[in-house]
Amino acid sequence: AAAGLDNYIVFAGGQYTDTDSALAYVDAYDNGGVKINSVSALNTATALLAGATLNTGSTKKIIFAGGYSAETGSAISDANSYDSSLTRNLLSPLSVQRGRLSGASVGNYVLFAGGYYAPTIGTYYDTVDAYNSSLTRSTCTGLSLKRNLMASASTSDYAYFAGGTPPVTNIIDVY
């Protein structure tokens, strides 16, 4: 997952394809492309997580949430925030453990929508969790269709969650 904040771009988590192990790494780069070496790792090695930026003027945070844990092999509900000093804090977890979710921001909120959890038989979600400028989590009206692997984007007034599976769809939910 990736998100930008002030003069930084931040990349979090990931997966080694040859070993299927997830990563806890967080790499940040400044506008000049210089790597910042003092960024705390995610609290859990995580793949298939989502990230988005909350920028309300007084509150500027990147939030990375959800994903799959390398330790358990299961979806997780962790949410990590990074401030403009790139200091990590652990937030209240998502309402549902899930990976392959999508993140976007709108107004005073960061939204994490949809996702998938596969302990044995896969479950898709229409759940939308919101973190406000106080970093308090609430649950919004769900997506119109349970799905994962959506594209997400924001304008100044709206957050969009588009496409996804299953089945492959062209539905766009707007918040």
Side-chain angles (χ1 to χ4, degrees):
L5 179 66
D6 288 340
N7 295 320
Y8 300 108
I9 186 74
V10 182
F11 301 93
Q15 181 174 352
Y16 288 116
T17 56
D18 57 340
T19 62
D20 267 351
S21 59
L23 306 171
Y25 300 135
V26 175
D27 292 325
Y29 297 86
D30 67 16
N31 283 341
V34 176
K35 184 175 180 182
I36 309 303
N37 291 318
S38 58
V39 182
S40 296
L42 297 169
N43 67 306
T44 302
T46 309
L48 302 170
L49 67 164
T53 302
L54 177 65
N55 189 350
T56 63
S58 61
T59 302
K60 296 180 179 183
K61 306 273 185 181
I62 292 174
I63 301 175
F64 295 109
Y68 284 91
S69 165
E71 297 168 8
T72 64
S74 297
I76 61 173
S77 57
D78 293 358
N80 293 263
S81 74
Y82 290 83
D83 61 22
S84 55
S85 302
L86 300 177
T87 302
R88 182 181 63 83
N89 288 295
L90 192 58
L91 304 179
S92 296
L94 296 170
S95 61
V96 179
Q97 296 174 312
R98 59 200 196 272
R100 300 189 206 167
L101 66 168
S102 297
S105 60
V106 61
N108 293 327
Y109 295 91
V110 166
L111 306 176
F112 292 100
Y116 177 78
Y117 181 59
T120 52
I121 298 173
T123 302
Y124 295 89
Y125 289 97
D126 60 1
T127 306
V128 179
D129 288 312
Y131 289 88
N132 65 17
S133 58
S134 299
L135 302 178
T136 302
R137 187 195 52 78
S138 59
T139 303
C140 303
T141 301
L143 297 168
S144 59
L145 179 68
K146 294 178 179 183
R147 60 197 197 272
N148 74 145
L149 300 173
M150 294 172 287
S152 56
S154 300
T155 63
S156 57
D157 296 323
Y158 298 100
Y160 299 85
F161 296 95
T165 63
V168 174
T169 181
N170 62 358
I171 290 175
I172 299 174
D173 286 291
V174 182
Y175 288 83

